[in-house]
Amino acid sequence: MVDDAASDDAGVDPEPAAGGVEPAEDDGPTTGNSEAIARAFADGPAYIPYLAVGDPDYESSLEYVEALERGGADLIELGLPFSEPIAEGPTIQGAVVRALEGGMTPDRFFEFVEELDVDVPLVCMTYYNLIYQWGEASGPRPFVERAAEAGLEGFVVPDLPAEEADPLRDACDEFGLDLVFIVAPTTEGDRLDRIMSRVSGYVYVQARLGTTGAQDDVSDRTAASLDRLREYDVPKAVGFGISAGEHAERIVAAGADGIIVGSALVDIVAEGAEADRSAETVADRLEALSRELVEGADRGYRARSPTADSR
Amino acid sequence: MSETTPNADRDETQRSTAVDPADPADPTPVPGETDGKFGRYGGQYVPEALMPAIEELTDAYQRYVLENEDGFMDEFRRRLREFGGRPTPLQHAERLSERYDRDVYLKREDLLHGGAHKLNNALGQVLLAKYMGKSRVIAETGAGQHGTATAMAAAHLDMPCEVYMGERDINRQRPNVFRMTLNGTTVTPVTAGRGTLKEAISETMRDWAGSVEDTHYVIGSVVGPHPFPAMVRDFQSVVSEEARRQALETIDELPTDVVACAGGGSNTMGSFAAFLEDESVSLHAVEAGGSDLSIDEAAGVAPNSASLYAGEEGVLHGARTKLLQDAHGQIVESHSVSSGLDYAGVGPELAHLADEGRIHPAAVDDDQALEAFHLLSRTEGIIPALESAHAIAYLETVAGPENEGEADAESEVGSGSETAGQEADALGDAVVVTVSGRGDKDLESVIEETAARDIDGAPDMSAFTGGI
C-alpha cells in the first residue's frame, strides 16, 4: 500500500523525500521519510501500541515497551509526558502524572529511546511546547535533530494542527523523520486536504470525538472516516477506544491499515502500579493483550481479503 | 520587529502554497500568515477534533461580531444595557486622588450585573452561540467570576450550561458555586493537578473535543486559540470605549495612564483596547507577583502568576504566548492570593504588546494587594475583588506616600521600591484604574489571608477568623 518506488522528489533537498500525500497531484511523493515506518505497514495490518515513557518508573517502562514488541508490535508510539495533556482522557492523564512524578524529562526520554532494545520503529507522541522548548536554538529543529540521533522515526503531536506545523514538518524532512497527523471524524473537505498535504508515515484516524480512552464499543464513524481517506495513498491507522481483539478485527475489516492502542495498555500499567505487581507480571499482561489485538487485527484482515496470508 | 517570526520567514510562505490557490471555496486564510497572530504570539494549537469548530467560530466571529450580521452587535449592546446595566461609571476617587497627588478615576466594572467585567464577554459569547445554532455552552472558571457570568448569561438566554472549576477553587469560592447553581448551571469539579484555572481550562477543552458539534466553549479570557483572544477582547473593549468617552466628556482630555490587573488578561485588554492608538496614554498591566517572582523548578511551582513579567515564550491551551514553565517546557503551578489571576499563561496579544513596549507589565505581591484591598474599602467605600486590588496596589507602590517623589522619576531602575516593573512606569496626572470586580466573593479569603499577616490599615479580624 505504500509506494516505495516513489522517488519523484521535487524539492531542492536531494536526500529525504518531502512529506505530504496529495491526491492526484504530480509533485507529491507518496511515501514517507522513514523506510522502517513504511515497512511496518508493508505486510498486513500494523499493530501500534502506545505507552507513556517512564510510567510508573524508568526501568519498568523499559521492560513494558520491550514486552509490546514480543507481543507483536509493528511500530511503537512512545509518549513523552507533558504537564497539560489536553487531548488525553483520564487513563493517559494518570500515566502522565505517574511518569512526571517518576522524573521523566525530555533528556531522560531520549536516553530511554537509546537504551531500548527493540527492532521496530519508534514514534514520539508529545505536545508541541516540549518540542518547541528543547535545546538552545528556538523552534522545533534541535528536538528533531536529537530525536533522529536517538533513533526515533517520527512524531505525533496532538496539539499541533496542520496550520501551525510547517516548522516541524520542515525539520522532520531535514532529518528524515515522519510527521503523523490526526484526522478526526469532523475533518473533511479543505481541512482534510491541508492535513494530507503535510502528513507522512501514516495518518492517525481518530475513531470518535473526545479524548483518548478505552471503550467497550468502537465508533462506527471509523468506516466513514476511512472512506473519506480512501483516495489518499498513505497508511491509515485507527486509534481512540480500541481495547480488545474484536475491536481490532472490526476496524481492520473496515479497511484500516493499522490499529493504535493506548489506554487499554496503560490501564494494565496503572493497575500494576496500584496493586504493586512485579514488572514481569505487568509485562506479561501487556504481551498477552498485544497478542489478542494482533490476532484480532489478523482476523479482520483475512475477512477483508480472504486470499491474504496471515502474518 | 515582531511582525515576522524566524519561523515564518523560513517556512510558512513556502508551505502555504500547498493549499490550492485556485480554489475560491477555501475561505480560511492560512493562520500564521494573516489571521490569528499577534506578532509572534497567538495561533491555533489545538487538537484536530476542535479545528472545524474553531473554523466555524472564526467565521461566526467575522460575520456577527465584526460585520454585525443579523444585527448581532445591536442586540449584544442592547442586552448589555438592559440586562447588564451598562454603561458603568467612571468615578473620580477623591481620597485616592489626594493620597497619590493626581487625579485617580475608577472605571467601575464592579457595578456591572454580577459584580465583574466578566459579563461583557460571557453575554457576547452565549449570544453568539445562539446565533450559531448551538444548543449548549460550557465554560471554565477560576475565581468563579467567569462561571457566574456565563451562568447568568445562559439563564438569561435560555441555554443549558456546564462549568468546570478546579476543586481547590470550588473550596475557595463557595458563594460563586452556589450562584451558578441557582442560575441552573451544572458545576463540575476538576481534580487534576492543583485544581485551579489551568486544569479547568484543560478539562473544558476535553469536554469540547467530544461535544463540539452542538456545544460552544465560552472561554473566559483573551487566551486560547484564535479567534478567542481577538473575540474576547472585542466583547470586553466596551470597558475602554466607555472610559475613553467618559474621560473626554468629564475632564475634556484623555487620561495619562490606564491601570488594570492582568491574569489571563480580559479586563486588561478590555481596559486598554480603545486606548491602544492613543500614544500619549500609558497602559499598565499589573500582574500577581504572589509571594515571589522566581520559579521553583524542582517543585514545578511558580509562587506567582506574572507570566508577562517573568514568563517565557511557549505554547499552552491553543496559543503561543508567555508562560510560567520550567526549563523543559512543563507548565508550572502558578500562585496568587487572587484565584482570578492564578494562571500560568497570559493572552497572546498582551505578550505581543509587552514585547512592542506598548504596555508596561508590572507585578505586585500578595501583601501589597491585600493592603490595597483594605485601603480602597476603607477610604472609598468600595470593596474590590482581590484581582482589582492588584491594580490599586500598583498606584500605592508607584505613587504612595512611602514612595514620595519616585512616581514622577523617569526610568530609574531599582529606585528603591521592591515592586517589579515600576521603574519605567511613572504615572501622569490623570490615571484611570479599572475596578474589574467587587470583593464580596473574596471575603472569606480576605479574612484568612489578613489574619495570617500584619496588614497596614486592616480592621481587627479576630472576631471573624471562624468565618462569616
Side-chain angles (χ1 to χ4, degrees):
Chain A
M1 65 204 73
V2 171
D3 182 2
D4 282 318
S7 56
D8 173 16
D9 189 349
V12 285
D13 201 352
E15 215 196 315
V21 182
E22 309 219 4
E25 287 280 336
D26 56 2
D27 60 342
T30 55
T31 188
N33 291 327
S34 162
E35 285 178 25
I37 289 180
R39 274 199 305 275
F41 289 92
D43 58 347
Y47 166 52
I48 307 175
Y50 162 97
L51 283 179
V53 166
D55 174 23
D57 61 74
Y58 185 98
E59 294 300 329
S60 308
S61 191
L62 276 175
E63 287 189 45
Y64 298 166
V65 173
E66 287 164 9
L68 299 175
E69 189 192 34
R70 288 198 301 279
D74 297 292
L75 186 161
I76 299 174
E77 289 184 357
L78 297 175
L80 166 56
F82 176 54
S83 57
E84 311 302 316
I86 57 172
E88 315 296 351
T91 301
I92 294 178
Q93 286 180 51
V96 165
V97 169
R98 286 190 299 274
L100 289 175
E101 282 174 355
M104 187 44 58
T105 65
D107 293 316
R108 290 284 282 160
F109 176 84
F110 290 130
E111 289 163 20
F112 182 97
V113 172
E114 283 164 346
E115 193 174 342
L116 206 51
D117 183 20
V118 296
D119 288 329
V120 297
L122 303 171
V123 166
C124 169
M125 180 152 181
T126 195
Y127 288 77
Y128 194 56
N129 199 45
L130 297 188
I131 295 175
Y132 183 77
Q133 297 301 335
W134 199 85
E136 292 302 311
S138 80
R141 191 178 178 279
F143 188 93
V144 176
E145 183 174 18
R146 179 71 183 91
E149 185 189 303
L152 288 157
E153 301 283 345
F155 297 100
V156 185
V157 189
D159 66 341
L160 189 69
E163 285 78 357
E164 308 287 355
D166 291 338
L168 181 59
R169 174 73 266 172
D170 290 352
C172 284
D173 289 342
E174 181 182 349
F175 294 103
L177 272 62
D178 280 322
L179 182 56
V180 174
F181 285 95
I182 297 172
V183 168
T186 45
T187 309
E188 47 194 27
D190 295 332
R191 283 209 55 72
L192 189 59
D193 281 343
R194 212 176 300 149
I195 291 170
M196 298 310 284
S197 71
R198 288 168 171 80
V199 76
S200 72
Y202 57 99
V203 59
Y204 188 141
V205 182
Q206 187 179 326
R208 56 172 168 76
L209 286 174
T211 52
T212 56
Q215 302 277 308
D216 290 335
D217 201 1
V218 281
S219 167
D220 56 14
R221 297 178 81 162
T222 308
S225 293
L226 289 170
D227 269 352
R228 276 203 305 283
L229 289 164
R230 200 172 299 276
E231 61 178 305
Y232 299 95
D233 190 13
V234 63
K236 294 133 195 107
V238 175
F240 274 48
I242 300 174
S243 62
E246 62 187 55
H247 300 157
E249 178 178 354
R250 206 163 341 128
I251 283 187
V252 171
D257 303 310
I259 52 161
I260 304 171
V261 181
S263 295
L265 298 163
V266 170
D267 274 335
I268 294 174
V269 175
E271 199 266 341
E274 210 162 293
D276 210 17
R277 297 190 202 291
S278 71
E280 197 186 346
T281 308
V282 173
D284 286 348
R285 290 181 184 194
L286 291 170
E287 187 180 334
L289 177 59
S290 293
R291 287 191 196 288
E292 179 194 328
L293 291 160
V294 167
E295 283 161 15
D298 283 345
R299 282 197 305 277
Y301 190 58
R302 285 196 300 272
R304 188 173 72 191
S305 47
T307 55
D309 292 329
S310 176
R311 290 180 296 172
Chain B
M1 172 190 90
S2 54
E3 289 303 303
T4 54
T5 69
N7 290 338
D9 285 339
R10 206 175 68 238
D11 312 301
E12 302 200 329
T13 46
Q14 175 196 335
R15 275 288 169 181
S16 62
T17 57
V19 178
D20 185 0
D23 182 5
D26 183 359
T28 317
V30 176
E33 300 297 300
T34 49
D35 270 13
K37 289 274 162 77
F38 304 97
R40 56 190 291 106
Y41 302 103
Q44 300 177 311
Y45 296 87
V46 293
E48 171 56 28
L50 294 180
M51 285 303 293
I54 299 270
E55 290 187 341
E56 183 190 351
L57 183 62
T58 304
D59 174 62
Y61 166 58
Q62 176 68 34
R63 290 190 291 121
Y64 295 122
V65 180
L66 299 182
E67 294 165 16
N68 193 26
E69 187 174 309
D70 298 341
F72 171 84
M73 286 302 286
D74 303 326
E75 180 174 353
F76 171 55
R77 291 194 190 99
R78 175 177 66 77
R79 288 182 187 274
L80 273 181
R81 278 196 315 274
E82 296 172 358
F83 179 67
R86 299 214 73 94
T88 62
L90 183 70
Q91 178 209 342
H92 187 242
E94 290 165 19
R95 249 70 56 201
L96 293 189
S97 298
E98 207 172 298
R99 183 177 179 91
Y100 301 129
D101 194 24
R102 65 203 69 223
D103 284 314
V104 176
Y105 299 89
L106 304 177
K107 180 58 178 165
R108 297 289 308 276
E109 290 301 292
D110 59 313
L111 294 178
L112 188 65
H113 176 45
H117 71 289
K118 291 288 185 186
L119 183 69
N120 300 323
N121 169 48
L123 190 63
Q125 285 198 57
V126 177
L127 187 63
L128 187 65
K130 245 188 149 60
Y131 273 64
M132 291 169 72
K134 301 288 180 183
S135 59
R136 171 181 178 252
V137 294
I138 53 175
E140 87 294 338
T141 197
Q145 295 295 84
H146 175 57
T148 54
T150 307
M152 292 185 314
H156 174 63
L157 293 166
D158 194 22
M159 265 287 204
C161 177
E162 180 170 358
V163 170
Y164 289 90
M165 187 167 185
E167 201 168 44
R168 181 185 158 93
D169 283 338
I170 286 182
N171 291 327
R172 284 201 278 189
Q173 304 286 347
R174 292 192 57 79
N176 273 344
V177 177
F178 187 54
R179 290 166 73 194
M180 286 184 263
T181 309
L182 287 174
N183 288 138
T185 282
T186 304
V187 180
T188 304
V190 179
T191 53
R194 212 166 56 92
T196 61
L197 180 58
K198 170 166 74 76
E199 288 78 26
I201 293 179
S202 293
E203 197 57 30
T204 316
M205 285 192 165
R206 291 184 187 112
D207 178 313
W208 203 29
S211 62
V212 64
E213 288 159 307
D214 64 2
T215 298
H216 175 66
Y217 176 13
V218 183
I219 207 164
S221 192
V222 288
V223 301
H226 177 72
F228 282 113
M231 185 175 74
V232 176
R233 173 203 63 207
D234 289 351
F235 287 141
Q236 288 291 359
S237 61
V238 64
V239 176
S240 50
E241 283 160 14
E242 282 177 11
R244 190 176 187 282
R245 193 183 66 234
Q246 289 163 326
L248 290 173
E249 279 167 10
T250 54
I251 59 176
D252 215 21
E253 58 187 12
L254 290 173
T256 54
D257 301 83
V258 177
V259 180
C261 64
S266 72
N267 121 81
T268 332
M269 279 314 303
S271 300
F272 292 173
F275 294 107
L276 286 174
E277 304 292 314
D278 299 321
E279 285 174 18
S280 67
V281 181
S282 298
L283 307 172
H284 309 264
V286 187
E287 300 191 286
S291 57
D292 192 312
L293 275 173
S294 63
I295 289 177
D296 181 346
E297 294 250 347
V301 171
N304 65 73
S305 305
S307 321
L308 281 177
Y309 192 79
E312 298 283 342
E313 182 179 331
V315 173
L316 175 67
H317 290 149
R320 178 181 302 208
T321 185
K322 288 181 189 283
L323 303 173
L324 301 178
Q325 56 188 329
D326 69 14
H328 303 299
Q330 306 289 4
I331 310 306
V332 301
E333 298 290 350
S334 56
H335 163 81
S336 168
V337 67
S338 141
S339 51
L341 300 181
D342 196 346
Y343 180 55
V346 66
E349 186 170 15
L350 284 163
H352 172 60
L353 291 170
D355 278 5
E356 294 273 275
R358 180 63 190 96
I359 65 167
H360 309 298
V364 301
D365 66 23
D366 287 348
D367 293 355
Q368 292 166 322
L370 277 163
E371 281 170 19
F373 175 95
H374 290 294
L375 177 75
L376 195 69
S377 300
R378 196 176 64 253
T379 65
E380 294 286 352
I382 298 168
I383 298 176
L386 279 173
E387 291 79 15
S388 322
H390 285 73
I392 306 293
Y394 177 70
L395 295 189
E396 180 74 14
T397 55
V398 178
E402 288 179 19
N403 294 286
E404 207 76 63
E406 287 183 18
D408 302 305
E410 289 284 339
S411 303
E412 259 190 72
V413 178
S415 58
S417 166
E418 287 165 16
T419 302
Q422 79 150 67
E423 312 80 38
D425 312 328
L427 290 173
D429 57 14
V431 181
V432 169
V433 184
T434 301
V435 180
S436 56
R438 67 180 183 214
D440 307 44
K441 70 184 175 63
D442 291 320
L443 297 183
E444 291 289 352
S445 299
V446 168
I447 290 169
E448 191 182 313
E449 301 285 349
T450 304
R453 290 172 168 82
D454 182 20
I455 300 282
D456 270 359
D460 179 7
M461 288 289 146
S462 58
F464 302 103
T465 45
I468 326 179

